[in-house]
Amino acid sequence: FICSKIFSLVSGINGDLQVCDHHTVEDCGIAMGACLKEALQDKRGIERYGSMLLPMHLPVLICGFVCGWPYGLAVGFVAPLLRSFTLGMPPFFPTAVAMAFELAAYGAITGICYKKLPKKPLFLYVDLLTAMIGGRIVWGAAMIICLGIRGGAFTWSAFLSGSVLGAIPGIVLQLILVPIIVAVLQKSKLIPGE
């Protein structure tokens, strides 16, 4: 059922499959979730991949292309705050607050660049890279302010580590997926193209 380098899990399920099998599957999922929660306790040792793969960035960038800068800005600002309040990650202050400004900049810059620049494939990368650089600069400024409020400091090495070095897989993913998605949307005439 579940296999990894660390452990394997095999499960046998008995239930009223002839009546309605999806309830049995749901019950199994709930039971497995409860078992994992109990087994993992404080969750020490679990790697977090969000800061590396940047999963909130993709929909915000695409929103800027598809819906324009006002919606890109709004979605970018709300997404990390809402996720922090509902799921507890990222931590609200300073991370989610700084991310709100960063992602708002991504959505706004992507939407503005896409509206103003030619709709050719090369310019999709110009739009995207401009938003990625601008958003990271905004994130750095927001972190300086947030940590300054808290009485701390935000160093150049922390900026590079948090915005570039630790995020390389997510940056590569964005540079591959976003232009492909936008090109497909252009080709299907769902957004303006060439």
Side-chain angles (χ1 to χ4, degrees):
F1 189 73
I2 296 175
C3 295
S4 78
K5 293 179 187 175
I6 300 169
F7 69 92
S8 296
L9 173 67
V10 178
S11 175
I13 304 167
N14 292 320
D16 56 348
L17 298 177
Q18 68 280 6
V19 175
C20 191
D21 60 351
H22 82 270
H23 290 289
T24 303
V25 173
E26 288 170 350
D27 293 343
C28 179
I30 291 167
M32 285 177 34
C35 290
L36 282 173
K37 182 178 179 185
E38 182 67 26
L40 296 174
Q41 298 286 321
D42 63 0
K43 299 172 195 81
R44 256 188 288 170
I46 295 177
E47 294 290 328
R48 304 236 182 242
Y49 293 101
S51 61
M52 187 173 56
L53 295 178
L54 314 172
M56 283 190 280
H57 294 60
L58 290 170
V60 172
L61 290 164
I62 293 168
C63 181
F65 280 110
V66 173
C67 303
W69 77 265
Y71 289 101
L73 184 143
V75 168
F77 191 80
V78 170
L81 300 175
L82 186 62
R83 191 169 194 282
S84 179
F85 285 130
T86 58
L87 302 174
M89 285 301 285
F92 182 73
F93 191 85
T95 310
V97 172
M99 280 183 71
F101 288 101
E102 173 193 16
L103 294 183
Y106 285 161
I109 294 168
T110 303
I112 290 167
C113 287
Y114 189 65
K115 183 177 181 180
K116 301 285 184 190
L117 296 175
K119 310 286 186 277
K120 298 182 180 191
L122 173 65
F123 285 95
L124 294 179
Y125 287 98
V126 171
D127 300 343
L128 187 57
L129 287 169
T130 302
M132 292 166 77
I133 292 167
R136 280 167 173 73
I137 291 168
V138 168
W139 175 77
M143 286 298 287
I144 288 169
I145 293 167
C146 288
L147 291 176
I149 290 169
R150 196 187 254 181
F154 189 63
T155 64
W156 179 248
S157 62
F159 174 77
L160 283 178
S161 175
S163 67
V164 180
L165 301 177
I168 289 173
I171 292 169
V172 170
L173 189 68
Q174 291 168 16
L175 290 171
I176 293 169
L177 287 181
V178 173
I180 290 171
I181 292 168
V182 172
V184 167
L185 292 171
Q186 287 175 335
K187 195 169 191 153
S188 59
K189 308 255 188 268
L190 294 171
I191 60 173
E194 291 183 64

